[in-house]
Amino acid sequence: MLSIFKRSTQTSERQLRKYRKIVQQINKLEATYVDLSDEQLIAMTDTFKKRIQSGESLPSITPEAFAVVREASKRVLGMRHFDVQLIGGLVLTEGNIAEMPTGEGKTLVASLPSYVRALEGKGVHVITVNDYLAKRDYEQIGQIHRFLGLTVGLNVPMMQGPAKQAAYQADITYGVGTEFGFDYLRDNMAQQKSQHVQRPYHFAIIDEVDSILVDEAKTPLIVAGKMQADADLHHIAARLAKRFKKGIDFDFDDETKATSLTDAGIEKVEKAFGVDNLYDLEHQTLYHYMIQAVRAHVIFERDVDYIVRDGKIELVDMFTGRIMEGRTLSDGLHQAIEAKEGVPITEENKAQAQITIQNYFRMYPKLCGMTGTAKTQEKEFREVYGMEVIQIPTNRPRARIDSPDQVYATIDQKYKAMAKEVAERHEKGQPVLVGTTSILQSEKVVQYLDEYKLKYNLLNAKSVEQEVELISQAGQLGQITVATNMAGRGTDIVLGDGVEEVGGLFVLGTEKHENRRIDNQLRGRSGRQGDHGESRFFLSLEDDMFKRFAKDDLEKFLKKVKTDENGLVLNPEVDELTERTQRIVEGAHYSMREYNLKLDDVINDQREVVYALRDKVIEGEDVLDQLKTMLSETVEFVIYDSCPEDEMPENWDFSRIEQTMNALLLEPVSAPRTAEKTADIVKFYKEPLDDLLNYIDSFADNERVNKMIPQVMLSYIDTMWVKHLEVMTRLKEGIGLRSYGQEDPMRIYQREGLELFGRHYQKLRRNIASEVIGFMKLITEQQEVQ
Ligand code: ADP
Ligand code: MG
């Protein structure tokens, strides 16, 4: 463990030397650019563009370009990039992750790589964690780029088509990651090329990259259509699920969240709904409702994962504690939770297109990112995205003290000590930020604070704007702020007058998060730009993390535990226990993301095939040619599939060939039942197939047909893709069911997924061919009648 850690730090040191040399170059250029007039400085943009076009490499232009951006920033914003910010910019330009603590000015850092990579004229996307920050950065940093003659766009939800297209046409486009992902999905549902808003991907800079690529990775982006849900079914399923017991009625895998019913569970369901065999295909929906009802019970906890407000289920972002406005779970899960809570059942979302944020960003030829906390996730960034994490030194030496944890025997003792500490700090005027891991915990915390009659700001379920407002006040004298760990991420906490003297902002953590990175984020709220500050975590041996992930270790530890009169654990080994447990949890979560990514890869490959086909249609590439290819492939497939070369001819299915072929061909023909080789069958059909192909060609100038073909193609591609997605979801749910066998569930999923897709794709081509040819024949008939 230690050796890996050492190695990675060393790499950073060596690389830093390389960057420092370039920074020297940039600093030397400063004198030259200071003397330029605004016009001369602006003209540099065109000069750079021309040099790139004539083949000069980016690294050769970068020092000059950085010097120009710095000079522009001085003139426009009055901010001069610190040397460490230049280093950060270099790391980003190369496509890596710059780890820079909060307050180091990452927003300004992004002005450098976005300028350099925008010079290539292919668009740069700057991704932020919320719309508020996107707008802020677009307005502020955008000034530098606009001054230098580049165009800057803002991409936010609900924008109309042309406005969005304009935003994407800009040299640099700001926006939230999810919106870029949704635009991708919507572009791939468009009926015409003119509706596309995105250009081919070039370069993306992701702010708070860990939050976007790691924390958000669990929820896929889904574009959904509405579908009436069966409320009665949901209610019965919910009532039943309430009485179900884990291990008796159902099995649930904590890691993969795979849920399945046991035989006992199935029997109960069959009784409750009065069906004989739940496994029958006709009861597939019922089974699905039941599984979702169980999942609504075991995975989703009220006031942690969601809240009930005005008769509605509102999802809570577990990292920010913020309500995810308008986000719903798909596939009937949302309705299952509604049934569990007895609120009205809403319409169900049916996925029409979906992608994970991870896979969306993997489509960019080059990615980079910045955050205060990436090093603990280094391996994942390297393996999944090919980005290295480089730690950038701070501009000023860090003055924050990270005090050792205080661990108490019970939760009650922990909160009591916490409240006492807050009161003491408050007494001398020091601002305190209490970080929690959930809304529920926040509420618990304030109950204890109430006993001291303390005044505090509670940041639960607030809008982004309110949150930013409250968090930005957290550094004022005497303020007490209670918020979930991630609330107001990206917001500057500026210290008020006299706060330095009382020790700066005191950050108090009330529970270790399942990921050390999130704890570091919380600590990082204090001590920006060399400010004074302190952080400390208050834990208890009754905390969820220990109970869930360190049962055995905890039992052993409890036997030898010594505490003082307040319940404070005195054994020094307690720190080891905390750290080990956190590592275990991180490992478990990492493998889960890895597992999900592998699952998603299966769909991802399929999506690429389908979208590529769709693109061809939308691009208006010769549709008759495409149709002919589909037809020929369909014919070949049905022949080889019905009469495989490695089967005895007596087992061949000639009637299937006949059926498919006669639906397509101009004149029906009997299949060559005496054939002994598959190739002979192919040969037999060559002539009628050629006739058909010629017939298709005869429509080359027929406007009606040429207009109709792409519509038919898109309609089949889309509707069948939605169905296929559903089938794949069922398959995914089902593999949990069969994992008891010898085979690895992942392998089953990959194999059967491929098989299902093969069938889907085949059916798609056949449906399109037969529909279009049918239409052509109809036109011919009409003409004959006339
Ligand atoms: P981070 O994202 O790294 O937490 P921000 O980008 O929010 O930091 O910047 C924190 C504050 O520092 C902002 O108020 C910003 O304007 C200021 N700042 C950043 N860089 C500079 C600089 N070079 N000179 C002066 N102020 C700066
Ligand atoms: Mg920031």
Side-chain angles (χ1 to χ4, degrees):
M1 211 65 215
L2 196 68
S3 69
I4 294 172
F5 182 69
K6 245 163 106 186
R7 186 144 36 97
S8 61
T9 332
Q10 275 166 356
T11 324
S12 277
E13 258 318 309
R14 197 178 35 123
Q15 273 164 318
L16 283 179
R17 270 202 294 281
K18 175 185 92 183
Y19 295 125
R20 285 212 175 89
K21 275 206 190 108
I22 307 176
V23 169
Q24 275 174 6
Q25 261 177 288
I26 302 169
N27 286 340
K28 264 197 211 131
L29 288 165
E30 192 163 5
T32 328
Y33 290 131
V34 165
D35 290 335
L36 295 188
S37 68
D38 282 0
E39 287 69 32
Q40 286 170 318
L41 194 62
I42 293 163
M44 290 304 293
T45 301
D46 269 336
T47 314
F48 291 143
K49 279 188 185 168
K50 287 204 185 90
R51 280 165 60 185
I52 288 175
Q53 272 157 20
S54 59
E56 194 173 336
S57 73
L58 276 189
S60 126
I61 286 176
T62 301
E64 288 164 78
F66 272 35
V68 164
V69 174
R70 187 196 248 178
E71 186 57 33
S73 169
K74 273 153 64 180
R75 295 186 192 184
V76 180
L77 300 178
M79 285 199 276
R80 179 181 177 275
H81 296 73
F82 305 128
D83 285 0
V84 289
Q85 288 179 312
L86 297 178
I87 298 181
L90 290 169
V91 167
L92 297 178
T93 310
E94 288 175 350
N96 288 317
I97 292 178
E99 187 184 87
M100 304 177 75
T102 356
E104 287 293 304
K106 290 186 282 293
T107 318
L108 188 62
V109 171
S111 65
L112 301 158
S114 52
Y115 177 76
V116 174
R117 303 293 314 224
L119 292 169
E120 295 166 290
K122 296 177 194 162
V124 168
H125 296 169
V126 185
I127 310 300
T128 57
V129 277
N130 61 48
D131 290 326
Y132 173 87
L133 292 175
K135 191 152 174 287
R136 183 195 74 179
D137 296 355
Y138 157 80
E139 279 167 2
Q140 194 197 21
I141 302 301
Q143 293 177 48
I144 304 176
H145 297 126
R146 276 189 288 264
F147 172 82
L148 287 171
L150 295 181
T151 51
V152 187
L154 178 65
N155 176 32
V156 288
M158 315 306 272
M159 248 162 46
Q160 296 303 312
K164 246 187 201 293
Q165 279 167 336
Y168 276 110
Q169 281 305 315
D171 291 311
I172 299 167
T173 312
Y174 286 87
V176 181
T178 45
E179 190 59 17
F180 284 81
F182 280 128
D183 285 336
Y184 165 72
L185 294 177
R186 285 188 290 251
D187 269 5
N188 280 295
M189 296 166 76
Q191 295 302 304
Q192 270 147 26
K193 192 172 160 49
S194 62
Q195 294 166 339
H196 279 183
V197 296
Q198 293 192 330
R199 300 194 262 170
Y201 304 120
H202 173 51
F203 188 73
I205 302 170
I206 308 181
D207 191 10
E208 307 287 357
V209 62
D210 54 330
S211 159
I212 290 177
L213 293 185
V214 181
D215 303 336
E216 290 223 359
K218 277 188 293 270
T219 21
L221 307 175
I222 297 171
V223 176
K226 295 284 181 201
M227 204 186 71
Q228 195 63 46
D230 189 329
D232 290 341
L233 272 190
H234 275 302
H235 283 305
I236 303 175
R239 241 175 301 163
L240 208 55
K242 227 167 251 181
R243 281 184 271 131
F244 269 23
K245 289 197 179 56
K246 185 172 157 179
I248 297 176
D249 302 303
F250 67 91
D251 288 318
F252 177 73
D253 184 47
D254 276 314
E255 203 171 299
T256 60
K257 308 268 186 259
T259 315
S260 56
L261 301 183
T262 61
D263 287 344
I266 286 171
E267 213 169 287
K268 283 186 193 161
V269 179
E270 286 169 350
K271 247 193 220 144
F273 287 95
V275 301
D276 314 331
N277 186 359
L278 193 57
Y279 280 124
D280 270 359
L281 219 52
E282 57 174 321
H283 299 314
Q284 207 189 11
T285 324
L286 183 54
Y287 185 81
H288 175 65
Y289 272 56
M290 205 51 228
I291 289 286
Q292 296 299 53
V294 172
R295 294 175 73 203
H297 266 275
V298 288
I299 308 178
F300 293 87
E301 195 179 332
R302 184 170 173 163
D303 291 331
V304 174
D305 302 296
Y306 64 89
I307 61 167
V308 181
R309 191 161 67 181
D310 303 332
K312 277 201 228 93
I313 302 296
E314 304 196 52
L315 299 177
V316 173
D317 181 333
M318 74 173 271
F319 287 100
T320 60
R322 195 185 297 144
I323 302 293
M324 298 196 278
E325 280 325 321
R327 279 275 266 278
T328 58
L329 298 160
S330 61
D331 222 22
L333 192 53
H334 208 80
Q335 289 63 33
I337 300 176
E338 287 169 341
K340 167 185 165 190
E341 296 296 344
V343 300
I345 307 280
T346 56
E347 283 184 322
E348 205 169 289
N349 282 332
K350 202 176 170 77
Q352 293 186 310
Q354 66 181 73
I355 191 168
T356 58
I357 277 279
Q358 292 172 310
N359 274 325
Y360 172 72
F361 281 111
R362 289 206 296 176
M363 292 191 295
Y364 284 71
K366 202 114 197 158
L367 267 188
C368 68
M370 42 196 193
T371 173
T373 43
K375 207 66 186 173
T376 50
Q377 220 91 37
E378 180 170 49
K379 179 164 169 262
E380 183 163 350
F381 285 123
R382 184 183 308 125
E383 286 176 2
V384 182
Y385 303 96
M387 292 189 280
E388 295 294 331
V389 176
I390 317 280
Q391 285 174 312
I392 316 286
T394 53
N395 184 44
R396 297 206 196 128
R398 212 184 67 184
R400 185 187 70 228
I401 304 161
D402 292 329
S403 302
D405 302 339
Q406 282 189 5
V407 188
Y408 291 84
T410 70
I411 287 197
D412 182 57
Q413 289 163 338
K414 165 175 93 169
Y415 285 127
K416 276 192 176 130
M418 177 271 318
K420 186 157 171 278
E421 180 85 26
V422 174
E424 280 168 15
R425 303 274 176 167
H426 182 69
E427 184 79 5
K428 57 172 187 161
Q430 189 174 22
V432 182
L433 174 66
V434 183
T436 68
T437 51
S438 68
I439 294 187
L440 211 60
Q441 206 197 8
S442 289
E443 269 156 15
K444 191 109 195 185
V445 163
V446 300
Q447 279 172 17
Y448 282 85
L449 294 184
D450 282 341
E451 294 190 6
Y452 283 85
K453 306 247 179 319
L454 294 169
K455 259 186 73 185
Y456 48 79
N457 270 326
L458 176 62
L459 246 82
N460 272 355
K462 294 277 195 299
S463 72
V464 179
E465 285 77 13
Q466 288 170 313
E467 205 175 281
V468 167
E469 170 65 26
L470 289 174
I471 281 282
S472 65
Q473 294 303 313
Q476 299 301 312
L477 212 57
Q479 281 282 338
I480 299 173
T481 313
V482 181
T484 53
N485 284 337
M486 304 298 290
R489 194 167 179 177
T491 320
D492 222 8
I493 303 185
V494 181
L495 297 186
D497 284 339
V499 173
E500 273 287 313
E501 288 78 62
V502 291
L505 177 65
F506 180 62
V507 166
L508 193 156
T510 47
E511 198 169 312
K512 281 283 167 94
H513 196 274
E514 293 177 359
N515 194 319
R516 278 171 298 159
R517 193 167 43 77
I518 309 286
D519 297 339
N520 293 340
Q521 275 288 334
L522 180 63
R523 292 192 201 273
R525 314 247 43 167
S526 164
R528 296 174 155 210
Q529 285 287 336
D531 281 349
H532 280 112
E534 188 182 338
S535 73
R536 189 193 276 283
F537 278 81
F538 282 67
L539 312 176
S540 93
L541 294 176
E542 290 179 345
D543 285 356
D544 257 6
M545 187 178 78
F546 293 119
K547 281 196 292 198
R548 282 180 54 197
F549 296 97
K551 242 183 176 160
D552 297 343
D553 281 355
L554 187 63
E555 257 170 47
K556 262 188 247 151
F557 185 78
L558 284 175
K559 288 199 185 111
K560 56 179 181 194
V561 72
K562 286 195 197 68
T563 59
D564 72 4
E565 70 277 13
N566 297 319
L568 179 68
V569 174
L570 300 171
N571 317 42
E573 316 91 87
V574 72
D575 291 337
E576 236 169 81
L577 177 71
T578 313
E579 206 181 306
R580 196 167 51 239
T581 311
Q582 236 174 345
R583 275 184 202 283
I584 293 171
V585 188
E586 275 171 29
H589 283 263
Y590 178 57
S591 8
M592 189 169 116
R593 278 194 302 276
E594 214 178 15
Y595 180 82
N596 280 336
L597 196 66
K598 267 198 207 155
L599 283 179
D600 198 53
D601 276 346
V602 176
I603 286 261
N604 205 39
D605 292 345
Q606 302 178 355
R607 184 192 314 109
E608 274 168 20
V609 172
V610 170
Y611 283 1
L613 179 69
R614 213 180 179 283
D615 272 346
K616 266 204 216 157
V617 177
I618 285 238
E619 293 288 337
E621 272 180 39
D622 191 337
V623 285
L624 287 185
D625 259 1
Q626 288 186 48
L627 178 69
K628 287 193 298 188
T629 312
M630 285 184 185
L631 175 65
S632 304
E633 283 170 357
T634 298
V635 168
E636 191 169 319
F637 177 86
V638 74
I639 293 176
Y640 279 91
D641 199 48
S642 316
C643 306
E645 278 167 316
D646 54 5
E647 281 256 10
M648 300 299 283
E650 55 258 41
N651 296 329
W652 286 354
D653 188 354
F654 282 101
S655 45
R656 179 164 159 235
I657 297 191
E658 220 165 61
Q659 211 181 357
T660 310
M661 294 305 285
N662 288 347
L664 296 167
L665 295 178
L666 296 171
E667 303 281 344
V669 287
S670 306
R673 286 172 201 275
T674 52
E676 283 175 2
K677 277 196 289 221
T678 315
D680 289 342
I681 308 173
V682 176
K683 220 181 273 167
F684 172 86
Y685 277 107
K686 184 165 185 325
E687 204 185 299
L689 181 62
D690 281 344
D691 287 345
L692 184 56
L693 292 172
N694 287 332
Y695 174 72
I696 292 175
D697 275 332
S698 75
F699 285 87
D701 298 321
N702 187 312
E703 217 173 288
R704 246 173 98 197
V705 169
N706 277 284
K707 239 172 109 176
M708 176 260 195
I709 294 177
Q711 285 168 6
V712 170
M713 286 182 173
L714 287 184
S715 146
Y716 274 109
I717 291 172
D718 292 346
T719 49
M720 289 181 65
W721 176 239
V722 175
K723 278 197 202 129
H724 178 68
L725 277 181
E726 193 173 337
V727 173
M728 291 298 290
T729 309
R730 297 286 169 277
L731 177 65
K732 192 151 64 177
E733 286 173 359
I735 54 166
L737 221 65
R738 279 177 288 171
S739 59
Y740 333 117
Q742 297 290 314
E743 208 173 351
D744 172 17
M746 179 67 72
R747 288 256 302 281
I748 303 180
Y749 181 71
Q750 285 165 335
R751 192 188 57 230
E752 298 198 3
L754 191 68
E755 216 175 282
L756 284 170
F757 185 69
R759 260 187 268 163
H760 159 77
Y761 203 58
Q762 175 51 27
K763 210 164 135 195
L764 175 68
R765 287 181 295 196
R766 198 180 62 215
N767 284 354
I768 292 174
S770 79
E771 168 123 7
V772 175
I773 292 167
F775 185 69
M776 289 172 163
K777 288 178 185 165
L778 208 66
I779 292 181
T780 310
E781 269 171 39
Q782 283 172 354
Q783 281 165 348
E784 277 165 5
V785 172
Q786 279 167 4

